[in-house]
Amino acid sequence: MEKTSTLTKVQKEVFMNEAILEARKAQMLQEVPIGAIVVLDGQIIGRGHNLRETTQDATMHAEMIAIKEACQRVGSWRLEQAQLFVTLEPCPMCAGASMLARIDEIYFGAFDPKGGASGSLLNLSTDERFNHWSYVEAGVLGETCGALLTDFFRELRQRKKKLKKTSNSPELPL
Amino acid sequence: MEKTSTLTKVQKEVFMNEAILEARKAQMLQEVPIGAIVVLDGQIIGRGHNLRETTQDATMHAEMIAIKEACQRVGSWRLEQAQLFVTLEPCPMCAGASMLARIDEIYFGAFDPKGGASGSLLNLSTDERFNHWSYVEAGVLGETCGALLTDFFRELRQRKKKLKKTSNSPELPL
């Protein structure tokens, strides 16, 4: 059974902007800037941003934090009729968590060609062999979401290059 | 590059028995009995049992709890050279989390033909398109692990049947 979107273009952009706000919070912590929110009945019920380095916990992806908060908020592990907004295509863990929480609609910004599991390397979110599947829409504010990441990695490379140059400089103490 | 096991048969069974102990803790809470542990250098560094109903959190699978504890214990999101033992084949979320945590070896007891992502419906753990893959071994104490689940669901069906019978009985008050 094909699932459809229940949101307008404006709603999608408003909510993706909230996920982008979350991504910026990650960026401020020097984390890879990825943000997510969970929406139910037009209300944001969960927010999260990537905290892998800060917490040194491999599972602390934006989507996981947002989904956990949403479950806590509604007092149920079932988030039927909820929407997940995330700036980057979910990885297998996050696409899997979204499936387990029965999230009905997934909107993401940029594709992740190296690790995406909602369309790029595989599509867990629409695989009908599992007991739940979702409507998936890619590219919502995709350019903004993608630019956040490319800018972050460009700056990271520049910092590393500068650091290497400084540490190789003979006139500076070790 | 093919990965290999670093453990003996006895070690595998000893550790799977610890995962089974965790599954029994879930069972005592009326949760689906699934348990997991994470091992590093012969030491258990993370333990977990399914707590989905107790916490009403869709992400609270045994493996996730064990992986989070292991990350906390070693102070790093990288669990290279670690082993994951779990009584049931990991779902996409848990196979994905194991991949993100760079766990090198996955041992599971029973197959999950309806939702397994380490061999049944797909195999995320050995998919070389991702940036990490693992050695996967199925069927470690598989019968015991499987029996835990079949016994649990049989008892659940019987309880439901009994409850239905009782609530339909005219001589009893509503």
Side-chain angles (χ1 to χ4, degrees), chain A residues 81-99:
Chain A
Q81 285 150 12
Q83 292 102 23
L84 172 70
F85 285 82
V86 54
T87 56
L88 181 68
E89 182 183 357
C91 73
M93 173 181 73
C94 295
S98 167
M99 185 197 298

PDB file of all heavy atoms in Angstrom, chain A residues 81-99:
ATOM      1  N   GLN A  81       1.275   8.036  12.797  1.00  0.00           N
ATOM      2  CA  GLN A  81       0.858   9.357  12.289  1.00  0.00           C
ATOM      3  C   GLN A  81       1.857  10.481  12.567  1.00  0.00           C
ATOM      4  O   GLN A  81       1.561  11.647  12.354  1.00  0.00           O
ATOM      5  CB  GLN A  81      -0.540   9.741  12.789  1.00  0.00           C
ATOM      6  CG  GLN A  81      -1.608   8.949  12.020  1.00  0.00           C
ATOM      7  CD  GLN A  81      -2.848   8.695  12.824  1.00  0.00           C
ATOM      8  OE1 GLN A  81      -3.036   9.275  13.878  1.00  0.00           O
ATOM      9  NE2 GLN A  81      -3.695   7.831  12.325  1.00  0.00           N
ATOM     10  N   ALA A  82       3.011  10.124  13.065  1.00  0.00           N
ATOM     11  CA  ALA A  82       4.055  11.133  13.297  1.00  0.00           C
ATOM     12  C   ALA A  82       4.917  11.281  12.059  1.00  0.00           C
ATOM     13  O   ALA A  82       4.951  10.401  11.186  1.00  0.00           O
ATOM     14  CB  ALA A  82       4.912  10.742  14.486  1.00  0.00           C
ATOM     15  N   GLN A  83       5.595  12.428  11.996  1.00  0.00           N
ATOM     16  CA  GLN A  83       6.532  12.707  10.902  1.00  0.00           C
ATOM     17  C   GLN A  83       7.929  12.925  11.478  1.00  0.00           C
ATOM     18  O   GLN A  83       8.065  13.579  12.517  1.00  0.00           O
ATOM     19  CB  GLN A  83       6.121  13.972  10.137  1.00  0.00           C
ATOM     20  CG  GLN A  83       4.837  13.854   9.333  1.00  0.00           C
ATOM     21  CD  GLN A  83       3.655  14.500  10.026  1.00  0.00           C
ATOM     22  OE1 GLN A  83       3.820  15.371  10.862  1.00  0.00           O
ATOM     23  NE2 GLN A  83       2.454  14.082   9.675  1.00  0.00           N
ATOM     24  N   LEU A  84       8.916  12.378  10.792  1.00  0.00           N
ATOM     25  CA  LEU A  84      10.311  12.627  11.155  1.00  0.00           C
ATOM     26  C   LEU A  84      10.910  13.561  10.116  1.00  0.00           C
ATOM     27  O   LEU A  84      10.788  13.305   8.908  1.00  0.00           O
ATOM     28  CB  LEU A  84      11.089  11.309  11.183  1.00  0.00           C
ATOM     29  CG  LEU A  84      12.614  11.403  11.372  1.00  0.00           C
ATOM     30  CD1 LEU A  84      12.972  11.860  12.785  1.00  0.00           C
ATOM     31  CD2 LEU A  84      13.286  10.046  11.086  1.00  0.00           C
ATOM     32  N   PHE A  85      11.530  14.632  10.580  1.00  0.00           N
ATOM     33  CA  PHE A  85      12.273  15.538   9.696  1.00  0.00           C
ATOM     34  C   PHE A  85      13.729  15.465  10.079  1.00  0.00           C
ATOM     35  O   PHE A  85      14.063  15.621  11.262  1.00  0.00           O
ATOM     36  CB  PHE A  85      11.795  16.999   9.858  1.00  0.00           C
ATOM     37  CG  PHE A  85      10.473  17.255   9.212  1.00  0.00           C
ATOM     38  CD1 PHE A  85       9.299  16.935   9.862  1.00  0.00           C
ATOM     39  CD2 PHE A  85      10.411  17.797   7.935  1.00  0.00           C
ATOM     40  CE1 PHE A  85       8.069  17.155   9.254  1.00  0.00           C
ATOM     41  CE2 PHE A  85       9.187  18.021   7.317  1.00  0.00           C
ATOM     42  CZ  PHE A  85       8.013  17.700   7.977  1.00  0.00           C
ATOM     43  N   VAL A  86      14.594  15.221   9.105  1.00  0.00           N
ATOM     44  CA  VAL A  86      16.020  15.143   9.412  1.00  0.00           C
ATOM     45  C   VAL A  86      16.808  15.751   8.254  1.00  0.00           C
ATOM     46  O   VAL A  86      16.441  15.602   7.089  1.00  0.00           O
ATOM     47  CB  VAL A  86      16.424  13.689   9.758  1.00  0.00           C
ATOM     48  CG1 VAL A  86      16.027  12.692   8.685  1.00  0.00           C
ATOM     49  CG2 VAL A  86      17.909  13.566  10.063  1.00  0.00           C
ATOM     50  N   THR A  87      17.888  16.457   8.613  1.00  0.00           N
ATOM     51  CA  THR A  87      18.629  17.204   7.589  1.00  0.00           C
ATOM     52  C   THR A  87      19.396  16.285   6.640  1.00  0.00           C
ATOM     53  O   THR A  87      19.619  16.641   5.498  1.00  0.00           O
ATOM     54  CB  THR A  87      19.589  18.217   8.252  1.00  0.00           C
ATOM     55  OG1 THR A  87      20.454  17.510   9.150  1.00  0.00           O
ATOM     56  CG2 THR A  87      18.820  19.277   9.016  1.00  0.00           C
ATOM     57  N   LEU A  88      19.794  15.097   7.120  1.00  0.00           N
ATOM     58  CA  LEU A  88      20.528  14.149   6.277  1.00  0.00           C
ATOM     59  C   LEU A  88      19.767  12.820   6.246  1.00  0.00           C
ATOM     60  O   LEU A  88      19.158  12.430   7.241  1.00  0.00           O
ATOM     61  CB  LEU A  88      21.942  13.926   6.844  1.00  0.00           C
ATOM     62  CG  LEU A  88      22.852  12.982   6.051  1.00  0.00           C
ATOM     63  CD1 LEU A  88      23.244  13.586   4.695  1.00  0.00           C
ATOM     64  CD2 LEU A  88      24.131  12.666   6.851  1.00  0.00           C
ATOM     65  N   GLU A  89      19.831  12.150   5.112  1.00  0.00           N
ATOM     66  CA  GLU A  89      19.173  10.836   4.961  1.00  0.00           C
ATOM     67  C   GLU A  89      19.538   9.902   6.128  1.00  0.00           C
ATOM     68  O   GLU A  89      20.714   9.782   6.475  1.00  0.00           O
ATOM     69  CB  GLU A  89      19.651  10.217   3.638  1.00  0.00           C
ATOM     70  CG  GLU A  89      19.002   8.875   3.342  1.00  0.00           C
ATOM     71  CD  GLU A  89      19.561   8.259   2.055  1.00  0.00           C
ATOM     72  OE1 GLU A  89      20.392   8.894   1.382  1.00  0.00           O
ATOM     73  OE2 GLU A  89      19.155   7.132   1.757  1.00  0.00           O
ATOM     74  N   PRO A  90      18.564   9.235   6.731  1.00  0.00           N
ATOM     75  CA  PRO A  90      18.857   8.369   7.871  1.00  0.00           C
ATOM     76  C   PRO A  90      19.787   7.203   7.516  1.00  0.00           C
ATOM     77  O   PRO A  90      19.717   6.658   6.412  1.00  0.00           O
ATOM     78  CB  PRO A  90      17.477   7.830   8.270  1.00  0.00           C
ATOM     79  CG  PRO A  90      16.501   8.804   7.732  1.00  0.00           C
ATOM     80  CD  PRO A  90      17.119   9.335   6.473  1.00  0.00           C
ATOM     81  N   CYS A  91      20.645   6.839   8.470  1.00  0.00           N
ATOM     82  CA  CYS A  91      21.500   5.648   8.356  1.00  0.00           C
ATOM     83  C   CYS A  91      20.637   4.432   8.704  1.00  0.00           C
ATOM     84  O   CYS A  91      19.487   4.577   9.122  1.00  0.00           O
ATOM     85  CB  CYS A  91      22.678   5.779   9.323  1.00  0.00           C
ATOM     86  SG  CYS A  91      22.210   5.562  11.053  1.00  0.00           S
ATOM     87  N   PRO A  92      21.161   3.195   8.564  1.00  0.00           N
ATOM     88  CA  PRO A  92      20.343   2.021   8.897  1.00  0.00           C
ATOM     89  C   PRO A  92      19.794   2.041  10.326  1.00  0.00           C
ATOM     90  O   PRO A  92      18.627   1.701  10.547  1.00  0.00           O
ATOM     91  CB  PRO A  92      21.318   0.856   8.701  1.00  0.00           C
ATOM     92  CG  PRO A  92      22.277   1.333   7.667  1.00  0.00           C
ATOM     93  CD  PRO A  92      22.459   2.794   7.954  1.00  0.00           C
ATOM     94  N   MET A  93      20.624   2.474  11.296  1.00  0.00           N
ATOM     95  CA  MET A  93      20.125   2.507  12.685  1.00  0.00           C
ATOM     96  C   MET A  93      18.907   3.415  12.799  1.00  0.00           C
ATOM     97  O   MET A  93      17.889   3.022  13.387  1.00  0.00           O
ATOM     98  CB  MET A  93      21.225   2.990  13.635  1.00  0.00           C
ATOM     99  CG  MET A  93      20.732   3.216  15.056  1.00  0.00           C
ATOM    100  SD  MET A  93      22.022   3.823  16.181  1.00  0.00           S
ATOM    101  CE  MET A  93      22.214   5.528  15.619  1.00  0.00           C
ATOM    102  N   CYS A  94      19.010   4.612  12.217  1.00  0.00           N
ATOM    103  CA  CYS A  94      17.935   5.595  12.388  1.00  0.00           C
ATOM    104  C   CYS A  94      16.701   5.262  11.539  1.00  0.00           C
ATOM    105  O   CYS A  94      15.573   5.459  11.988  1.00  0.00           O
ATOM    106  CB  CYS A  94      18.466   6.991  12.104  1.00  0.00           C
ATOM    107  SG  CYS A  94      19.718   7.479  13.306  1.00  0.00           S
ATOM    108  N   ALA A  95      16.920   4.742  10.330  1.00  0.00           N
ATOM    109  CA  ALA A  95      15.779   4.300   9.523  1.00  0.00           C
ATOM    110  C   ALA A  95      15.091   3.135  10.243  1.00  0.00           C
ATOM    111  O   ALA A  95      13.861   3.036  10.267  1.00  0.00           O
ATOM    112  CB  ALA A  95      16.250   3.874   8.133  1.00  0.00           C
ATOM    113  N   GLY A  96      15.894   2.274  10.863  1.00  0.00           N
ATOM    114  CA  GLY A  96      15.347   1.138  11.627  1.00  0.00           C
ATOM    115  C   GLY A  96      14.560   1.600  12.835  1.00  0.00           C
ATOM    116  O   GLY A  96      13.454   1.105  13.100  1.00  0.00           O
ATOM    117  N   ALA A  97      15.089   2.587  13.560  1.00  0.00           N
ATOM    118  CA  ALA A  97      14.389   3.103  14.748  1.00  0.00           C
ATOM    119  C   ALA A  97      13.066   3.746  14.352  1.00  0.00           C
ATOM    120  O   ALA A  97      12.045   3.580  15.036  1.00  0.00           O
ATOM    121  CB  ALA A  97      15.273   4.121  15.464  1.00  0.00           C
ATOM    122  N   SER A  98      13.087   4.452  13.234  1.00  0.00           N
ATOM    123  CA  SER A  98      11.873   5.107  12.752  1.00  0.00           C
ATOM    124  C   SER A  98      10.794   4.065  12.412  1.00  0.00           C
ATOM    125  O   SER A  98       9.604   4.258  12.703  1.00  0.00           O
ATOM    126  CB  SER A  98      12.266   5.938  11.531  1.00  0.00           C
ATOM    127  OG  SER A  98      11.143   6.351  10.848  1.00  0.00           O
ATOM    128  N   MET A  99      11.245   2.957  11.823  1.00  0.00           N
ATOM    129  CA  MET A  99      10.344   1.847  11.494  1.00  0.00           C
ATOM    130  C   MET A  99       9.768   1.226  12.773  1.00  0.00           C
ATOM    131  O   MET A  99       8.561   0.996  12.888  1.00  0.00           O
ATOM    132  CB  MET A  99      11.169   0.810  10.735  1.00  0.00           C
ATOM    133  CG  MET A  99      10.419  -0.365  10.187  1.00  0.00           C
ATOM    134  SD  MET A  99      11.585  -1.728   9.765  1.00  0.00           S
ATOM    135  CE  MET A  99      12.598  -0.991   8.507  1.00  0.00           C
TER     136      MET A  99
END
